[in-house]
Amino acid sequence: MADSKEKLFSDFIAPTRQEWLDKINVDLKGADYQKKMVWRTNEGFSAEPFYRKEDLEGMAQTHALPGEFPYVRGNKKDNNRWYVRQNIRVTVPKEANEKALDLLNKGVTSLGFKVPAKELNATFISTLLEGIKADAVELNFSTCQGHTVELARLLTAYYDEKGYDRAALVGSIDFDPMQKILTKGKDTTSLLNRLAELVNILAPFPKMRCVCINADTLCNAGAYIYQELGYALAWGNEYLNLMVEAGIPAALAAKKIKFNFGISGVYFMEIAKFRAARMMWANIVKQYNPVCPREDCTNTGEDKFCNCACKMYVNATTSTYNMTVFDSYVNMLRTQTEAMSAALANVDAIVVTPFDTPYETPTDFAERIARNQQLLLQEESHFDKIVDVAGGSYFIETLTRSLAEEAWKLFLTVEEEGGFLAAAKAGSIQKAVNDTNAKRHANAGKRKEFLLGTNQFPNFNEKSEGKAPLAATCCCHSHGDSCEKPFAKLETSRLAADFETLRLQTEQAEKQPVAFMLTIGNLAMRQARAQFSCNFLACAGYKVIDNLGFPTVEEGVEAAMKAGADIVVLCSSDDEYAEYAIPAFKAVDGRAMFVVAGAPACMEDLKAAGIENFIHVRVDQLQTLKEYNAKLGIK
C-alpha cells in the first residue's frame, strides 16, 4: 500500500460542463436557466452557478505566488497578520493618551488619531504619545488638510527627539485634499501644491505613508464595488502622477500612498475586490518604472525595477452604509462578515465600525465588541495564519478577473475625462455614485435589496428608546466656512435612512397603529400571507396582531374592532378572495383601513367594489407605508 501510486477517486470520471448543464436543466423542470441560476451582479457582469478548472485557463493572475508581483495573492508569503486598528477622536490629548494605552493592552495593534488643527503643537503631540512605543504599533494621524504638513513636521521631530529608528516606524498621515471635493464640494486644489513638501518630510521614514486614497468614502456613499475600485485606482494614479511631475521619484511616491477602502456586505465580491485592487495597482505603478532608491530594496534584475513599490497598502473599514438604527445588534453580524472578507483577502489593517455608530458616539461596550470581532478572527479562527485562502478557487478567481475588467473600464473612462481630479471637479464621479445610491434606496424601498431588521423581518416589539440617526456636520471649520461649495458632493444617506424616518414618524404619533390579520380559508395560504403582511407592516412600526383563523369574515372583523384595529388585512388564497374580500370590506364599513394581502386575479373586481389597498411582493413597500401613514393622519 505504501508504494501505491493510485490517486484518490481515480475510478470516477469527472463530468463535463455539458453534463452538469444537462443535469441542472433536468432539475429545473423547464425553468429558464439564465433567470433561475445566473447571478446578475451590480458590477456589470454575470456569475455562473458553477465553475470548473478550465475557467482558470489563461488567467495570468493564477501564476504568481503570495508575496510576488502583481500581489494579487497578498503582500506577504509566510503569514496573514494584519493590524487591528481602532480610531480615537482627540479632544483632550491626555484623555486620548490614556484611552490609547488602555486599548494597546486590549489587543489593538494600530491606532488612528483624529487631531484638531487648532491644538497642534509639540506639547500636544508629546502628551498624546506619552508612554506609547511608536516602533511597536502602527500610528495613524489625520487633521484638517491645510495643517497636514505642520502635523508631519511635529511628528517627525518628536520621533527623532525620542531616538526612534526611522525604519522601524509604521503608520500614516492622512493627506487627501481630493476627498474634500467629493464629500464637501470644497475647492482644495491649492493644497495639492504641498504634496512634494509632505513627501520629502517623510522620505526618511520608509514605512510611513502620507498620501491617502479614502475610497471608503465612496463605499459609505453607496457606490457599487466596481465603482469604488475603479475610482480608487484613478484616484491613486492622479496622486502618483502629480508627485512624479513634482520631481518625486516614482518608487518613493508609490511607497507613500495608502489606500483606505470600505468593506460592503457582498462577501465573496469583497474578497475579489481586494485581490483585484492589488493586482491592478501593481500594474499601474509598474508603468512608472519605479527604481529602487536603496540597495537593500527588493528588486528584479540589474535595471533596479522596484517590485516593492508596486505593493498596495490597504486599510479596510467596515461600511456604515448598510448599518441600521433599529435592530442595531444586527450590525455586528454585518461587520463580522465584512471583516472576514477583508481578512481572507489579506489586507494590511482593518477597522471594525462599532455597531452603535449610526445613532451615538460609540460606547465602551460597542468599541470592545468591535475589537473582539477582529481578535476572534485572529486568535480563535486563525485567519492570520493563512495566506490567500481564496487562491485557486474557481469562483473567486473568476470574480477577481471579472471585477478587475469592469473596474479597469471605469478607470479608463476617468482617464479619458482628464483624470480623477478633473472628473471630480466636473462632478461626474459624484453623479455616478449618487445615482447608484438613489437606485439602491429605491431597491430597498421595493425590497429588491434587503436590510434585515429594517425592510425585512423587523423586530415587532422594538422601540427607538431615544435613538435617532446622528446628523452629519458639513464643514471642517466652525467659523466662517459656508456649506455652499463650488463642486457637487456625494450624498451619504445610509440605506436604511428612509425606513428609519418612517418608523420614527410612526413612533411619534399619538397612537401606534394596530394592524390586524383577518386570516380565513386555506390554511397554508392564510398563514403565508399573514406572515408576509406582519413583516411588511411592522417595518413602519405598526403593532401587528396575527391570528389562527376565523370561520367567517364577520367574526374576524368583530375581533379586529375589539382589538382596536386601525388596519384590517385580509389573508387568504387568491381563489377565495373573490368570496371573502367584498363581504369583509363591507363589514369593516370604513371603521379601519382595509387591505388585501396579495394580487389576486379578481383584483379589478375588488377595486371596482371600492377596495384600494393591496400588499404583495411587487409593490413599493416604502411608498406604500408612507401612503398608509398619511391615510392614518401620521405626519
Side-chain angles (χ1 to χ4, degrees):
M1 291 293 292
D3 296 330
S4 175
K5 300 290 186 180
E6 185 175 358
K7 293 183 179 179
L8 189 64
F9 301 128
S10 60
D11 290 339
F12 297 90
I13 299 175
T16 65
R17 178 181 295 278
Q18 189 58 50
E19 287 174 327
W20 275 114
L21 289 172
D22 291 342
K23 175 58 178 171
I24 291 172
N25 283 318
V26 168
D27 291 343
L28 285 174
K29 298 178 181 179
D32 189 290
Y33 172 86
Q34 289 292 327
K35 290 182 179 180
K36 291 290 185 180
M37 303 300 294
V38 176
W39 172 28
R40 289 167 178 79
T41 72
N42 291 323
E43 318 309 324
F45 60 89
S46 295
E48 295 292 331
F50 72 97
Y51 291 94
R52 292 167 53 83
K53 184 178 181 179
E54 58 260 33
D55 291 306
L56 301 189
E57 292 178 1
M59 280 193 192
Q61 71 198 50
T62 60
H63 298 161
L65 295 172
E68 293 183 359
F69 183 92
Y71 305 106
V72 64
R73 305 194 64 188
N75 295 335
K76 299 181 287 290
K77 63 177 65 177
D78 56 355
N79 72 84
N80 183 35
R81 198 77 183 173
W82 68 88
Y83 287 106
V84 177
R85 176 171 166 177
Q86 185 168 329
N87 296 326
I88 300 174
R89 180 175 288 274
V90 182
T91 51
V92 180
K94 180 62 176 175
E95 294 177 1
N97 171 261
E98 292 172 355
K99 181 174 182 177
L101 291 172
D102 181 55
L103 294 178
L104 293 174
N105 288 322
K106 293 178 177 177
V108 165
T109 54
S110 173
L111 294 166
F113 293 109
K114 173 68 175 177
V115 298
K118 63 181 180 180
E119 301 289 343
L120 283 178
N121 56 56
T123 301
F124 180 97
I125 295 298
S126 62
T127 302
L128 179 63
L129 299 181
E130 179 68 27
I132 297 175
K133 301 298 182 183
D135 54 358
V137 60
E138 184 189 55
L139 294 178
N140 306 279
F141 300 85
S142 64
T143 189
C144 286
Q145 295 296 290
H147 295 266
T148 306
V149 170
E150 178 187 359
L151 174 60
R153 292 190 187 280
L154 289 169
L155 283 172
T156 53
Y158 172 83
Y159 292 147
D160 287 342
E161 179 186 350
K162 293 294 182 180
Y164 283 113
D165 177 2
R166 290 175 170 181
L169 297 169
V170 181
S172 67
I173 297 174
D174 187 353
F175 184 67
D176 184 10
M178 287 191 281
Q179 182 195 26
K180 295 298 180 183
I181 297 177
L182 299 180
T183 60
K184 309 295 185 184
K186 186 177 180 179
D187 189 355
T188 54
T189 52
S190 62
L191 295 176
L192 294 172
N193 295 327
R194 310 203 71 179
L195 264 174
E197 182 182 8
L198 179 62
V199 170
N200 287 328
I201 292 171
L202 291 178
F205 298 79
K207 296 179 183 178
M208 287 192 66
R209 298 171 183 260
C210 55
V211 180
C212 292
I213 286 79
N214 289 297
D216 55 338
T217 299
L218 303 174
C219 179
N220 290 329
Y224 289 139
I225 292 173
Y226 86 96
Q227 290 178 313
E228 182 190 10
L229 179 52
Y231 288 135
L233 294 170
W235 202 335
N237 185 57
E238 184 81 28
Y239 278 130
L240 186 55
N241 188 52
L242 287 171
M243 285 187 279
V244 170
E245 287 185 347
I248 299 171
L252 175 60
K255 290 180 181 181
K256 291 305 177 188
I257 292 178
K258 179 177 184 177
F259 285 81
N260 293 314
F261 278 105
I263 321 169
S264 76
V266 190
Y267 183 74
F268 291 108
M269 195 74 77
E270 284 292 340
I271 296 175
K273 178 184 79 177
F274 292 115
R275 299 176 86 248
R278 286 192 298 267
M279 176 177 66
M280 298 166 74
W281 179 245
N283 282 292
I284 288 173
V285 174
K286 183 179 180 180
Q287 301 307 310
Y288 286 83
N289 193 29
V291 175
C292 288
R294 310 190 320 273
E295 289 299 326
D296 60 343
C297 187
T298 303
N299 61 79
T300 58
E302 297 180 357
D303 60 355
K304 306 289 284 183
F305 172 75
C306 188
N307 259 339
C308 58
C310 299
K311 293 180 180 179
M312 171 187 273
Y313 190 95
V314 175
N315 173 67
T317 303
T318 60
S319 176
T320 58
Y321 184 72
N322 59 4
M323 281 189 151
T324 60
V325 171
F326 287 95
D327 216 350
S328 59
Y329 291 127
V330 177
N331 291 334
M332 297 184 199
L333 304 180
R334 297 185 177 106
T335 54
Q336 189 65 49
T337 59
E338 290 167 4
M340 284 175 63
S341 60
L344 292 176
N346 308 103
V347 302
D348 301 285
I350 299 176
V351 178
V352 172
T353 307
F355 73 89
D356 59 349
T357 297
Y359 56 86
E360 66 183 358
T361 299
T363 62
D364 290 342
F365 170 73
E367 289 186 341
R368 174 174 175 265
I369 293 295
R371 288 193 302 274
N372 286 347
Q373 286 178 260
Q374 290 200 62
L375 296 176
L376 282 169
L377 295 178
Q378 286 191 345
E379 305 300 334
E380 294 190 18
S381 302
H382 307 299
F383 280 19
D384 59 333
K385 306 294 191 298
I386 49 178
V387 180
D388 192 29
V389 66
S393 162
Y394 304 154
F395 176 51
I396 296 178
E397 293 288 7
T398 304
L399 282 184
T400 301
R401 178 184 62 183
S402 299
L403 188 55
E405 289 173 350
E406 295 304 318
W408 190 252
K409 292 176 186 176
L410 184 58
F411 171 82
L412 294 178
T413 298
V414 174
E415 292 302 300
E416 289 172 0
E417 290 184 52
F420 186 86
L421 180 59
K425 292 169 71 173
S428 62
I429 295 170
Q430 297 91 311
K431 182 181 184 306
V433 175
N434 288 342
D435 286 348
T436 296
N437 190 10
K439 181 179 179 180
R440 294 185 66 181
H441 274 265
N443 286 341
K446 298 172 183 175
R447 301 210 302 186
K448 293 181 179 180
E449 185 166 351
F450 285 147
L451 276 172
L452 295 183
T454 299
N455 66 353
Q456 180 76 305
F457 305 125
N459 182 340
F460 292 179
N461 300 315
E462 184 180 14
K463 300 295 181 183
S464 66
E465 298 179 345
K467 295 189 300 185
L470 291 179
T473 56
C474 67
C475 301
C476 179
H477 302 288
S478 57
H479 305 291
D481 191 11
S482 170
C483 289
E484 295 297 325
K485 304 299 178 186
F487 305 124
K489 65 178 183 178
L490 295 171
E491 299 296 334
T492 56
S493 58
R494 288 175 297 105
L495 193 57
D498 299 328
F499 279 93
E500 290 168 356
T501 299
L502 179 70
R503 191 158 177 174
L504 289 170
Q505 183 186 63
T506 302
E507 272 196 26
Q508 294 162 6
E510 294 182 4
K511 176 183 180 294
Q512 181 185 19
V514 175
F516 187 93
M517 304 299 119
L518 199 169
T519 52
I520 190 171
N522 182 282
L523 177 62
M525 289 305 302
R526 77 191 190 203
Q527 288 180 334
R529 290 263 165 77
Q531 183 183 52
F532 170 84
S533 300
C534 285
N535 277 302
F536 188 101
L537 296 170
C539 290
Y542 300 165
K543 178 182 178 181
V544 294
I545 301 176
D546 201 357
N547 294 284
L548 297 177
F550 297 95
T552 67
V553 293
E554 288 76 16
E555 289 182 44
V557 171
E558 182 180 353
M561 295 303 104
K562 287 182 179 179
D566 300 285
I567 301 173
V568 175
V569 184
L570 182 64
C571 302
S572 190
S573 65
D574 285 358
D575 293 339
E576 290 171 304
Y577 280 139
E579 175 185 354
Y580 295 132
I582 294 177
F585 175 65
K586 290 181 178 179
V588 171
D589 193 26
R591 291 175 291 173
M593 185 188 306
F594 184 76
V595 178
V596 173
C602 63
M603 183 186 290
E604 293 304 318
D605 294 334
L606 301 186
K607 288 181 177 180
I611 299 173
E612 58 183 22
N613 300 306
F614 299 83
I615 56 174
H616 48 84
V617 294
R618 293 188 298 278
V619 303
D620 186 321
Q621 181 189 25
L622 180 63
Q623 187 59 37
T624 298
L625 293 175
K626 286 181 177 180
E627 292 172 359
Y628 287 3
N629 264 13
K631 290 179 180 180
L632 294 168
I634 299 174
K635 300 180 180 179

